[in-house]
Amino acid sequence: MSTGVANGQGAPARSHAVPLCPSAQPTQDGAFAFGVVGGAPGERRVGYLEGRVPVTDELLAMTGPVKPTHVFRFGAPCAGSGCSHFDGSDCNLATKLVQLMPPVSKSLPACQLRPDCRWWKQEGKAACMRCPVIMTDCYTRSEEQALAANPNTPVPVPVGV
Amino acid sequence: MEYQYAPNIVSMDGFSDAVAASVSLSLEEQQQYSASSSSSFEPTMGYFPVEP
């Protein structure tokens, strides 16, 4: 059984050679939960866990009838060219999030994934300042979020370029 | 630039309660969404596997 859930302790952050995707699926190899979506209806916000909680049957069962990606944020090694958002060097989802969405936080979340996060490595704090409103799956998505989430949406050209 | 939110931390002691609250909120939103929308597809905001 999961050490993370069973003993109430999240695993400490470890360094990964491959950058971690901060909005992964629990079915991916090496996946763990690092956030829980809280807030209020229509104003959901991610709460950041003190540790990384490995994906186990017990963890997934905690969400009952709700899809785990509505409740948790999962991290996992970036799938690279196996993901529609990866262009060979960058995660276009991270780029679009930063360019299309306003920041929602002036302080960096106490995020256990950040040391290995692809979005952080690529976009810096601009990504972290938007991260709390990123839900892998949700029922109420803003127009900007929907645009960013669609792999077919072109990456906007930055102003002044 | 508008900032609305101070990121919060979920302690491992409060983990189960946070998950339960999140599940409850999701069910509430699911009911509202089902009643107000006919749309069924929202792309996942994250890993999106390349089609084979």
Side-chain angles (χ1 to χ4, degrees), chain A residues 1-92:
Chain A
M1 197 58 268
S2 157
T3 55
V5 173
N7 67 14
Q9 300 295 315
R14 292 181 304 165
S15 180
H16 279 255
V18 177
L20 297 178
C21 171
S23 190
Q25 292 292 320
T27 51
Q28 291 180 252
D29 287 343
F32 57 88
F34 70 96
V36 178
V37 180
E43 295 183 9
R44 306 297 298 276
R45 299 288 187 270
V46 175
Y48 294 85
L49 297 173
E50 290 179 319
R52 300 178 179 186
V53 180
V55 172
T56 62
D57 291 343
E58 181 188 11
L59 179 74
L60 300 180
M62 289 178 76
T63 69
V66 176
K67 197 175 173 184
T69 44
H70 281 264
V71 173
F72 294 113
R73 282 278 299 279
F74 295 103
C78 171
S81 58
C83 178
S84 300
H85 292 294
F86 191 67
D87 68 2
S89 61
D90 287 333
C91 174
N92 285 336

Side-chain angles (χ1 to χ4, degrees), chain B:
Chain B
M1 183 179 291
E2 182 179 0
Y3 299 112
Q4 310 159 357
Y5 173 73
N8 68 317
I9 299 170
V10 177
S11 72
M12 298 315 296
D13 287 342
F15 179 69
S16 295
D17 289 343
V19 173
S22 184
V23 169
S24 178
L25 279 170
S26 286
L27 289 171
E28 189 175 334
E29 285 188 340
Q30 187 177 24
Q31 288 179 336
Q32 292 175 355
Y33 177 84
S34 298
S36 63
S37 174
S38 59
S39 174
S40 60
F41 177 73
E42 285 279 355
T44 291
M45 179 77 84
Y47 168 62
F48 200 98
V50 172
E51 292 182 10

